[in-house]
Amino acid sequence: MKGIVWLTSYPKSGNTWFRTFLTSLINEEDKSPNINELKTNGIFSKRKIFDDIVGFESSNLTFDEIDNLRPEVYENIAERAEKELYIKVHDAYTYLKDGRSIFPSNNEKAVYKAIYIVRNPLDVAVSISFHTSVNFNKMIENMGDRNFCFSGNESRLQNQLRQKLLTWSEHVESWTSIKDIEVLLVRYEDMKEKPLETFSKAVEFIGLNNTKEQIQRAINFSDFDKLKKQEEENGFKEKPRKMDSFFRKGQIGDWREHLTKDQVNKIINDHRKVMQDLGYLTQDGKIVY
Amino acid sequence: MGKFKSYKCYGLVIESEINLPELEETTEKVQVEIKFGKTPERLENPMESSIRYEISKNEFLIKIDNIAKFYVAEGKSITIERLNENNDEDIKIFLYSTVFAALLQQRGYLVFHGMTAKLNNKGVVFLGNSNAGKSALAATLYEKGYSILSDELCVVKVEKGNRLCVFKGISRLYLWNDTLIQLNKDIKDFKPMRKDIKKYIYNVKTNINESMRVDKIFIISHHNLEEISTKQLLGHKKIGLLKELIYNVKAQETSIGRIELFKYLTNIGGNMKITEVKYCNNGWQMTKLSQIIEKEVSKE
């Protein structure tokens, strides 16, 4: 049955890597996919998609008016699609004032699932700081602020619609606790350390019938070093101007090179429970990665 | 029932029950009527429909939640059904954009997301998606002394002799808070277009007649590189990009037909020089962008 698979994550948690893997799997070519031509179906918060479906400009609406329309917009997209869609999401799973989720629910015309990609918040803090050119302290504060949004600046028009992120912990819990749709939790660290097992589980969850060999080939072609080299040679359209590169390091534990003890403690204090639930912190407070 | 006044806009004479002080008043013969009233629940045989609009060949029905429903028929009438009291200013935002676009498309005009300015006696059209920076560029050019014929809708028609003409629209821009600050304006001097949106009404004056010939087309968009780039477009790429920038392409195709639309765009692509301009929208680029535009226009 057609519908949408939400490829969802807090920013800088491995979403682009997963989409590259998926493109490689779909392409079945004997080379890495072109990072500027990924075959997934855009981002949930893209303004143009919204405008085309509603028939008027979202720039003339308030943020809340836009959010009220978003579930119907995506239902419309899912119901018109000829095949299953894979749409990137950074929004937390939130609810409107009337109780509806911002995301459409399963119905007789379309089915929705989500792959939620999560990464150690210590590494996320470093990566997102580099991505947004915001210092570590401010970014750690943002990750603990439930009002934190992407594209939430009211004083100018941004390419994308407002994306409410909530705190990092709330973002994780918003997606992993929902009952309306099936969600598969995938850890970035498992993608790195147990790639065949982790990506195979995701492929099975999506409902694709790829062999182990095909999955392994797609893993090889979406290797971080290959993507980094492609960006060096041809650029990457999703890279913010101020960043030197989008594919920066792609390592587990890079936070050790950058964060002070106080910064680490702040992140742990803000997100202890979820970090423990996800295996990033032991029950007695030791950092796992 | 309110008193009806007649106005001129996009080459049309419009008699309107809703007050439209942004438009030039006229006593010429009326071609279009705008009135308040009940709109249809649905269209009988829509050719296209989406979550808030339906289109048939000569009808367009759209609902803006909590503001109004609009019904446009035969390119001759617009019916506005209020969904809230005392909201004429909100109604006009959508009337001047989506609804006028549908009306003009029903009358055979081609409508783009765009802005039109007069530079060095030339009609210059700037096309681009929402957020491309068209309004900010319009304001920058206006502050430099150039005339702005229209913003948001760029309304064109191919006249006799294959001459592409663009029509004068509404004498105002909507500028975001940050844009006004960059232009060294005091926000307090400007009225917000709608409550809870930091976008403001910036009035422009022009003494240009109803229409002028299009001499140059720019397509404006963003990239993530430091420098502003310009590139003359060639061949079929022009047609693809032009089509992407049509205002509600489904309404346009329904009104004039897909084949006619293709012919129209091929005609424009074949006869007009189109330059693609890309810039990074991180930081204020309009001063530099306007200088590059001036240089490009003076080359012709």
Side-chain angles (χ1 to χ4, degrees):
Chain A
M1 188 175 189
K2 55 183 178 177
I4 299 177
V5 178
W6 305 112
L7 305 176
T8 170
S9 68
Y10 197 87
K12 305 309 290 179
S13 300
N15 201 305
T16 302
W17 178 17
F18 190 88
R19 286 183 296 127
T20 314
F21 161 79
L22 202 54
T23 299
S24 190
L25 203 64
I26 294 167
N27 273 355
E28 296 181 308
E29 286 179 348
D30 278 330
K31 56 177 180 174
S32 289
N34 184 336
I35 54 175
N36 289 305
E37 290 175 14
L38 295 180
K39 291 275 186 278
T40 50
N41 306 102
I43 187 167
F44 178 66
S45 48
K46 190 167 177 177
R47 189 176 289 282
K48 190 169 186 325
I49 294 174
F50 179 98
D51 289 2
D52 287 347
I53 300 278
V54 298
F56 47 87
E57 305 221 5
S58 53
S59 62
N60 294 332
L61 300 178
T62 65
F63 287 157
D64 287 346
E65 285 171 338
I66 291 169
D67 281 351
N68 282 336
L69 288 165
R70 285 173 86 183
E72 285 177 78
V73 168
Y74 289 95
E75 254 173 16
N76 185 272
I77 290 172
E79 288 164 16
R80 285 171 178 240
E82 287 169 3
K83 55 183 174 71
E84 197 161 57
L85 301 175
Y86 306 105
I87 298 183
K88 173 182 170 180
V89 177
H90 282 320
D91 302 67
Y93 196 91
T94 57
Y95 295 85
L96 303 169
K97 283 181 185 153
D98 61 11
R100 287 179 298 147
S101 159
I102 198 174
F103 293 86
S105 302
N106 292 333
N107 57 48
E108 64 279 359
K109 291 184 187 167
V111 170
Y112 305 90
K113 292 181 189 180
I115 292 183
Y116 186 79
I117 305 159
V118 71
R119 188 181 184 187
N120 183 354
L122 297 167
D123 280 330
V124 169
V126 170
S127 189
I128 198 174
S129 289
F130 279 106
H131 186 81
T132 56
S133 303
V134 169
N135 69 57
F136 294 134
N137 283 335
K138 180 64 186 162
M139 189 46 67
I140 291 166
E141 193 187 310
N142 287 340
M143 286 173 70
D145 178 0
R146 70 182 328 260
N147 293 317
F148 184 48
C149 299
F150 262 16
S151 302
N153 187 338
E154 292 178 318
S155 296
R156 56 182 293 196
L157 187 66
Q158 314 224 255
N159 282 336
Q160 294 186 28
L161 307 175
R162 177 187 66 178
Q163 299 145 74
K164 287 184 181 174
L165 299 181
L166 308 181
T167 69
W168 177 85
S169 293
E170 286 173 334
H171 191 282
V172 174
E173 287 177 325
S174 76
W175 277 99
T176 55
S177 64
I178 49 179
K179 306 279 184 276
D180 300 350
I181 62 175
E182 273 188 277
V183 180
L184 176 71
L185 177 72
V186 172
R187 295 193 323 165
Y188 179 96
E189 293 74 16
D190 292 333
M191 284 159 71
K192 290 279 288 182
E193 292 185 337
K194 302 183 281 182
L196 185 58
E197 180 189 324
T198 308
F199 283 104
S200 295
K201 226 179 188 169
V203 169
E204 193 189 332
F205 175 79
I206 290 171
L208 298 173
N209 294 319
N210 294 92
T211 64
K212 273 202 164 60
E213 290 73 29
Q214 288 169 327
I215 295 170
Q216 185 61 60
R217 186 175 67 184
I219 291 168
N220 295 344
F221 282 139
S222 53
D223 174 73
F224 183 88
D225 288 335
K226 290 192 170 75
L227 306 184
K228 189 170 174 69
K229 187 161 181 271
Q230 242 198 78
E231 183 183 12
E232 282 163 6
E233 288 169 1
N234 302 315
F236 182 40
K237 63 185 180 187
E238 294 182 35
K239 177 190 82 72
R241 182 179 65 92
K242 287 180 182 171
M243 274 190 92
D244 288 334
S245 58
F246 183 94
F247 298 102
R248 194 182 58 89
K249 268 197 179 171
Q251 284 174 3
I252 296 173
D254 185 47
W255 62 268
R256 289 187 167 82
E257 307 292 322
H258 301 282
L259 299 181
T260 65
K261 203 170 169 190
D262 284 346
Q263 289 166 340
V264 170
N265 286 339
K266 172 84 173 107
I267 291 172
I268 291 174
N269 285 340
D270 285 348
H271 307 291
R272 182 183 306 274
K273 183 186 175 300
V274 174
M275 286 178 78
Q276 284 172 335
D277 289 345
L278 294 173
Y280 292 129
L281 208 61
T282 62
Q283 289 306 311
D284 55 1
K286 285 205 182 73
I287 299 169
V288 176
Y289 289 101
Chain B
M1 199 140 96
K3 185 183 168 191
F4 287 63
K5 283 187 185 172
S6 292
Y7 307 93
K8 208 145 184 199
C9 187
Y10 298 113
L12 296 175
V13 177
I14 301 170
E15 185 181 72
S16 175
E17 187 175 352
I18 183 172
N19 218 6
L20 304 175
E22 300 78 21
L23 307 186
E24 186 194 322
E25 282 189 44
T26 184
T27 52
E28 291 178 44
K29 188 175 172 212
V30 171
Q31 295 160 291
V32 175
E33 288 181 346
I34 300 177
K35 57 187 189 307
F36 287 106
K38 193 99 181 75
T39 57
E41 257 322 293
R42 309 227 75 129
L43 296 186
E44 256 184 54
N45 295 303
M47 291 166 72
E48 289 286 347
S49 63
S50 190
I51 64 167
R52 285 294 180 275
Y53 70 83
E54 292 179 349
I55 315 171
S56 66
K57 183 151 171 56
N58 292 310
E59 296 171 293
F60 179 81
L61 179 65
I62 191 162
K63 180 185 177 192
I64 318 292
D65 292 0
N66 302 315
I67 293 177
K69 280 176 72 185
F70 299 88
Y71 174 64
V72 187
E74 307 283 335
K76 290 179 187 167
S77 72
I78 296 171
T79 306
I80 304 171
E81 181 180 341
R82 282 187 204 278
L83 298 177
N84 225 326
E85 292 302 313
N86 298 323
N87 67 341
D88 282 12
E89 294 308 311
D90 279 353
I91 284 173
K92 284 193 286 186
I93 303 296
F94 298 94
L95 177 68
Y96 287 155
S97 53
T98 304
V99 178
F100 269 14
L103 175 86
L104 292 156
Q105 286 164 339
Q106 284 176 3
R107 293 185 76 95
Y109 293 80
L110 205 52
V111 182
F112 291 98
H113 288 278
M115 177 270 285
T116 310
K118 185 178 173 186
L119 277 78
N120 304 344
N121 275 325
K122 291 175 185 162
V124 184
V125 154
F126 300 87
L127 306 182
N129 281 316
S130 189
N131 191 42
K134 304 182 294 296
S135 301
L137 179 59
T140 305
L141 292 171
Y142 185 73
E143 295 276 317
K144 282 183 156 187
Y146 298 108
S147 291
I148 305 298
L149 274 84
S150 70
D151 189 28
E152 220 166 348
L153 303 187
C154 176
V155 178
V156 302
K157 217 172 198 180
V158 176
E159 307 262 85
K160 280 182 192 159
N162 253 350
R163 190 170 168 262
L164 187 66
C165 277
V166 62
F167 291 84
K168 179 179 162 187
I170 295 144
S171 307
R172 65 183 191 180
L173 311 177
Y174 300 121
L175 300 181
W176 289 91
N177 189 94
D178 280 4
T179 300
L180 285 173
I181 289 172
Q182 291 292 344
L183 295 170
N184 295 316
K185 302 295 183 192
D186 189 343
I187 304 291
K188 289 196 289 296
D189 294 337
F190 296 86
K191 192 179 160 198
M193 61 176 292
R194 289 189 64 207
K195 188 170 166 282
D196 298 331
I197 299 182
K198 290 185 180 174
K199 203 164 150 187
Y200 299 86
I201 299 170
Y202 175 101
N203 291 312
V204 296
K205 291 190 184 122
T206 176
N207 54 9
I208 292 173
N209 286 333
E210 314 186 337
S211 67
M212 58 186 306
R213 188 179 73 183
V214 178
D215 292 297
K216 183 98 179 120
I217 298 176
F218 290 97
I219 293 181
I220 311 279
S221 63
H222 300 150
H223 62 191
N224 59 2
L225 304 176
E226 196 76 39
E227 295 301 317
I228 297 176
S229 71
T230 61
K231 181 171 94 174
Q232 193 162 317
L233 292 177
L234 302 169
H236 63 273
K237 197 177 178 194
K238 288 190 205 178
I239 299 164
L241 278 177
L242 286 172
K243 188 175 177 188
E244 277 178 29
L245 293 168
I246 288 175
Y247 204 105
N248 195 338
V249 67
K250 287 185 181 152
Q252 188 77 73
E253 281 179 337
T254 308
S255 296
I256 67 173
R258 212 167 267 186
I259 295 172
E260 271 312 300
L261 177 61
F262 180 75
K263 282 186 193 169
Y264 222 139
L265 295 177
T266 307
N267 187 334
I268 295 174
N271 290 312
M272 299 292 315
K273 275 191 191 159
I274 301 177
T275 303
E276 192 176 35
V277 179
K278 291 190 179 198
Y279 72 101
C280 181
N281 71 334
N282 205 323
W284 182 252
Q285 296 284 335
M286 289 301 145
T287 309
K288 207 171 168 190
L289 184 61
S290 66
Q291 289 163 354
I292 288 174
I293 297 289
E294 286 170 315
K295 212 171 159 185
E296 285 288 324
V297 172
S298 67
K299 270 185 201 173
E300 307 288 314

